[in-house]
Amino acid sequence: MRFVKVTTLLSTIKNPPERGFGAYYNFNLYRGCQHGCIYCDSRSECYNLGDLSDIRAKENSLELLDKELTRKKIKGTITTGSMNDPYMPVEKELQLTRRALKIIQKYNYGVHIITKSDLVTRDIDILTELKYAAVSITITSILNSKKIEPGAPETAKRFIALKKLIDAGIYAGVSLMPILPYITDSKENILGIIQKAKECGAKYILCCFGVTLRDNCRGYFYSKISESIKKKYEQKYGTRFYCYVEDELINFIESECKKVDIPMKMKFYYPTKEVQKTLNFF
């Protein structure tokens, strides 16, 4: 792990909030990720992040966050977890995410965290004090997640974290993203996740019905799966950017979520009535 300096931190989401998980702004405190998920889109050349196992902490990130939040006109939601996990193991020592949450609280913004880590429960004390806090726990496999997410906490720990967050009164749910064709797309796996999410009291389940595979991301992914599954991908999807699941599975997921009364959309925070009038999601 090493430190790097950056010139900016916050990025504004162009079409908020439906394309940004309910957020107006996005930030990442690290480059690279210790979870090593075999499907991670951050490996794609377009992001120019290099080797994801080379963990770089943005040493001036908190200073920048403090300065940049004073300049924003809309006190909307900020999301983190798009390019790496804000609660990967190095966060336990550095606490950049925890300290960033305190700054967000200071300026009265909301936050949406996307993570695979149970470390997020460490910060329940701050999350419960924010004007809006949502936490989406990514769960892709009901049983053996280590094969596809080798560095991330096992699925059982993620569900325990989900329940702790909900019991603390935090708006939390499951990010069922991605669904990997021929790997995690069985109805048994999907149903197991939905049922366990219901047991934990999940407020929503967000789905991506497939997986994105660009250039470097595709090559890495193919190197980690069996030759037989790789051939299925090549035959069905060729060099397509997005590898989709069948409509039958989409209908199944929607039906099962409806049965247990779990929405497949989040409730977003709107900072003002004026902004809310410009948005037509529901």
Short mmCIF file of all heavy atoms in Angstrom, two decimals, residues 5 26 31 49-50 56 59 95 106-107 119 121-122 124 160-161 166 168 177 185 192 200-201 207 210 234 257 273 276:
data_model
loop_
_atom_site.label_atom_id
_atom_site.label_comp_id
_atom_site.label_asym_id
_atom_site.label_seq_id
_atom_site.Cartn_x
_atom_site.Cartn_y
_atom_site.Cartn_z
N LYS A 5 -1.09 11.72 -3.99
CA LYS A 5 -1.86 12.96 -3.91
C LYS A 5 -2.72 13.11 -5.15
O LYS A 5 -2.33 12.71 -6.25
CB LYS A 5 -0.91 14.16 -3.76
CG LYS A 5 -0.32 14.30 -2.37
CD LYS A 5 0.36 15.65 -2.19
CE LYS A 5 0.82 15.82 -0.75
NZ LYS A 5 1.43 17.16 -0.52
N ASN A 26 -20.06 11.66 -6.29
CA ASN A 26 -19.38 10.39 -6.07
C ASN A 26 -17.93 10.66 -5.69
O ASN A 26 -17.32 11.63 -6.15
CB ASN A 26 -19.43 9.56 -7.36
CG ASN A 26 -18.68 8.25 -7.22
OD1 ASN A 26 -19.12 7.35 -6.52
ND2 ASN A 26 -17.53 8.14 -7.88
N ARG A 31 -7.39 3.99 -4.63
CA ARG A 31 -7.29 3.42 -5.98
C ARG A 31 -6.85 1.97 -5.80
O ARG A 31 -5.97 1.68 -5.00
CB ARG A 31 -6.28 4.17 -6.84
CG ARG A 31 -6.75 5.53 -7.31
CD ARG A 31 -5.69 6.24 -8.12
NE ARG A 31 -6.13 7.56 -8.53
CZ ARG A 31 -5.32 8.54 -8.92
NH1 ARG A 31 -4.01 8.34 -8.92
NH2 ARG A 31 -5.80 9.70 -9.29
N LEU A 49 -6.67 2.70 -14.16
CA LEU A 49 -6.30 2.50 -12.76
C LEU A 49 -5.10 1.59 -12.57
O LEU A 49 -4.56 1.47 -11.47
CB LEU A 49 -7.49 1.91 -11.99
CG LEU A 49 -8.71 2.82 -11.83
CD1 LEU A 49 -9.79 2.12 -11.05
CD2 LEU A 49 -8.33 4.14 -11.15
N GLY A 50 -4.67 0.93 -13.64
CA GLY A 50 -3.53 0.05 -13.53
C GLY A 50 -3.85 -1.22 -12.76
O GLY A 50 -4.99 -1.69 -12.72
N ARG A 56 -3.54 2.28 -3.50
CA ARG A 56 -3.07 3.65 -3.31
C ARG A 56 -4.12 4.42 -2.52
O ARG A 56 -5.26 4.56 -2.97
CB ARG A 56 -2.84 4.32 -4.66
CG ARG A 56 -1.64 3.74 -5.44
CD ARG A 56 -1.92 3.63 -6.92
NE ARG A 56 -2.84 2.54 -7.21
CZ ARG A 56 -3.34 2.30 -8.42
NH1 ARG A 56 -3.02 3.08 -9.44
NH2 ARG A 56 -4.16 1.29 -8.61
N GLU A 59 -3.86 10.54 -0.01
CA GLU A 59 -3.47 11.11 1.29
C GLU A 59 -4.09 12.48 1.56
O GLU A 59 -4.26 12.86 2.74
CB GLU A 59 -1.95 11.18 1.41
CG GLU A 59 -1.26 12.09 0.43
CD GLU A 59 0.25 12.14 0.67
OE1 GLU A 59 0.67 11.89 1.82
OE2 GLU A 59 1.01 12.40 -0.28
N GLN A 95 -8.76 4.40 8.23
CA GLN A 95 -10.01 5.07 8.60
C GLN A 95 -10.32 6.30 7.75
O GLN A 95 -10.93 7.27 8.23
CB GLN A 95 -10.01 5.45 10.09
CG GLN A 95 -9.91 4.25 11.01
CD GLN A 95 -10.23 4.57 12.46
OE1 GLN A 95 -10.88 5.56 12.76
NE2 GLN A 95 -9.77 3.72 13.37
N LYS A 106 -20.63 16.90 8.96
CA LYS A 106 -20.36 18.30 9.29
C LYS A 106 -21.08 19.25 8.34
O LYS A 106 -21.62 20.29 8.77
CB LYS A 106 -18.84 18.53 9.23
CG LYS A 106 -18.39 19.97 9.32
CD LYS A 106 -16.88 20.05 9.13
CE LYS A 106 -16.38 21.48 9.02
NZ LYS A 106 -14.90 21.54 8.76
N TYR A 107 -21.12 18.90 7.04
CA TYR A 107 -21.73 19.78 6.05
C TYR A 107 -23.18 19.39 5.72
O TYR A 107 -23.77 19.94 4.80
CB TYR A 107 -20.88 19.82 4.79
CG TYR A 107 -19.58 20.56 5.01
CD1 TYR A 107 -18.38 19.88 5.13
CD2 TYR A 107 -19.56 21.95 5.12
CE1 TYR A 107 -17.18 20.55 5.35
CE2 TYR A 107 -18.37 22.64 5.33
CZ TYR A 107 -17.19 21.93 5.44
OH TYR A 107 -16.01 22.62 5.66
N LEU A 119 -17.10 -4.49 7.77
CA LEU A 119 -16.44 -3.41 8.50
C LEU A 119 -17.32 -2.16 8.56
O LEU A 119 -17.15 -1.32 9.44
CB LEU A 119 -15.08 -3.08 7.85
CG LEU A 119 -14.24 -1.99 8.51
CD1 LEU A 119 -13.91 -2.34 9.97
CD2 LEU A 119 -12.96 -1.75 7.71
N THR A 121 -20.13 -1.81 9.68
CA THR A 121 -20.85 -1.72 10.95
C THR A 121 -20.07 -0.94 12.00
O THR A 121 -20.65 -0.45 12.96
CB THR A 121 -21.21 -3.11 11.49
OG1 THR A 121 -20.02 -3.87 11.71
CG2 THR A 121 -22.11 -3.87 10.51
N ARG A 122 -18.78 -0.82 11.82
CA ARG A 122 -17.96 -0.02 12.73
C ARG A 122 -18.45 1.41 12.81
O ARG A 122 -18.35 2.07 13.85
CB ARG A 122 -16.50 -0.04 12.25
CG ARG A 122 -15.52 0.80 13.05
CD ARG A 122 -14.26 1.09 12.25
NE ARG A 122 -14.53 1.94 11.09
CZ ARG A 122 -13.63 2.23 10.15
NH1 ARG A 122 -12.40 1.73 10.23
NH2 ARG A 122 -13.95 3.01 9.13
N ILE A 124 -21.54 2.63 12.38
CA ILE A 124 -22.97 2.82 12.65
C ILE A 124 -23.22 4.08 13.47
O ILE A 124 -24.22 4.79 13.26
CB ILE A 124 -23.55 1.57 13.37
CG1 ILE A 124 -23.75 0.44 12.35
CG2 ILE A 124 -24.87 1.90 14.07
CD1 ILE A 124 -24.23 -0.87 12.97
N ILE A 160 -24.92 -10.76 8.20
CA ILE A 160 -24.91 -10.34 9.61
C ILE A 160 -24.77 -8.82 9.69
O ILE A 160 -25.45 -8.15 10.48
CB ILE A 160 -23.76 -11.04 10.38
CG1 ILE A 160 -24.05 -12.54 10.52
CG2 ILE A 160 -23.57 -10.40 11.75
CD1 ILE A 160 -22.88 -13.34 11.07
N ALA A 161 -23.90 -8.27 8.84
CA ALA A 161 -23.71 -6.81 8.81
C ALA A 161 -24.99 -6.12 8.37
O ALA A 161 -25.37 -5.08 8.93
CB ALA A 161 -22.56 -6.46 7.86
N ILE A 166 -29.69 -2.63 9.76
CA ILE A 166 -31.14 -2.44 9.78
C ILE A 166 -31.64 -2.34 11.21
O ILE A 166 -32.49 -1.50 11.53
CB ILE A 166 -31.83 -3.57 9.00
CG1 ILE A 166 -31.49 -3.44 7.51
CG2 ILE A 166 -33.34 -3.56 9.21
CD1 ILE A 166 -31.84 -4.62 6.67
N ALA A 168 -30.13 -1.12 13.59
CA ALA A 168 -29.71 0.19 14.10
C ALA A 168 -30.54 1.33 13.51
O ALA A 168 -30.35 2.49 13.85
CB ALA A 168 -28.23 0.42 13.81
N MET A 177 -25.44 -7.48 -7.55
CA MET A 177 -24.70 -7.04 -8.74
C MET A 177 -23.26 -7.52 -8.67
O MET A 177 -22.61 -7.30 -7.63
CB MET A 177 -24.69 -5.51 -8.84
CG MET A 177 -26.04 -4.86 -8.91
SD MET A 177 -25.83 -3.08 -9.10
CE MET A 177 -27.51 -2.52 -8.94
N ASP A 185 -26.10 -17.43 -11.70
CA ASP A 185 -27.43 -17.14 -12.22
C ASP A 185 -28.44 -18.27 -12.00
O ASP A 185 -29.52 -18.25 -12.61
CB ASP A 185 -27.36 -16.79 -13.70
CG ASP A 185 -26.86 -17.95 -14.57
OD1 ASP A 185 -26.26 -18.89 -13.99
OD2 ASP A 185 -27.07 -17.92 -15.79
N GLY A 192 -32.07 -18.02 -2.77
CA GLY A 192 -31.42 -18.05 -1.46
C GLY A 192 -31.06 -16.65 -0.99
O GLY A 192 -31.24 -16.32 0.19
N CYS A 200 -33.29 -10.81 7.01
CA CYS A 200 -32.50 -9.74 7.63
C CYS A 200 -33.25 -8.41 7.68
O CYS A 200 -32.79 -7.46 8.32
CB CYS A 200 -31.19 -9.55 6.88
SG CYS A 200 -30.06 -10.95 7.01
N GLY A 201 -34.37 -8.33 6.98
CA GLY A 201 -35.14 -7.10 6.96
C GLY A 201 -34.72 -6.11 5.90
O GLY A 201 -34.96 -4.90 6.04
N CYS A 207 -30.68 -4.77 -8.58
CA CYS A 207 -30.16 -5.80 -9.48
C CYS A 207 -29.51 -5.23 -10.72
O CYS A 207 -29.95 -4.20 -11.26
CB CYS A 207 -31.29 -6.73 -9.93
SG CYS A 207 -31.78 -7.93 -8.70
N GLY A 210 -26.83 -9.10 -15.27
CA GLY A 210 -25.73 -9.55 -16.10
C GLY A 210 -24.43 -8.99 -15.57
O GLY A 210 -24.32 -8.64 -14.39
N GLU A 234 -17.92 -17.02 -24.79
CA GLU A 234 -17.45 -16.67 -26.12
C GLU A 234 -18.49 -16.99 -27.18
O GLU A 234 -18.70 -16.21 -28.13
CB GLU A 234 -16.14 -17.40 -26.42
CG GLU A 234 -14.97 -16.90 -25.58
CD GLU A 234 -13.71 -17.71 -25.78
OE1 GLU A 234 -13.81 -18.91 -26.12
OE2 GLU A 234 -12.62 -17.14 -25.60
N CYS A 257 -39.12 -11.19 -5.56
CA CYS A 257 -39.01 -9.99 -4.73
C CYS A 257 -40.41 -9.46 -4.37
O CYS A 257 -40.64 -9.01 -3.25
CB CYS A 257 -38.21 -8.90 -5.45
SG CYS A 257 -36.42 -9.20 -5.47
N LYS A 273 -37.70 20.56 -2.26
CA LYS A 273 -38.90 20.28 -3.04
C LYS A 273 -38.72 20.71 -4.49
O LYS A 273 -39.27 20.10 -5.41
CB LYS A 273 -40.10 21.02 -2.42
CG LYS A 273 -40.53 20.45 -1.08
CD LYS A 273 -41.76 21.18 -0.55
CE LYS A 273 -42.21 20.58 0.78
NZ LYS A 273 -43.39 21.28 1.33
N GLN A 276 -36.94 17.97 -6.24
CA GLN A 276 -37.81 16.81 -6.35
C GLN A 276 -38.78 16.95 -7.53
O GLN A 276 -39.09 15.98 -8.20
CB GLN A 276 -38.60 16.61 -5.05
CG GLN A 276 -39.43 15.34 -5.03
CD GLN A 276 -40.06 15.08 -3.66
OE1 GLN A 276 -39.87 15.88 -2.76
NE2 GLN A 276 -40.76 14.00 -3.55
#
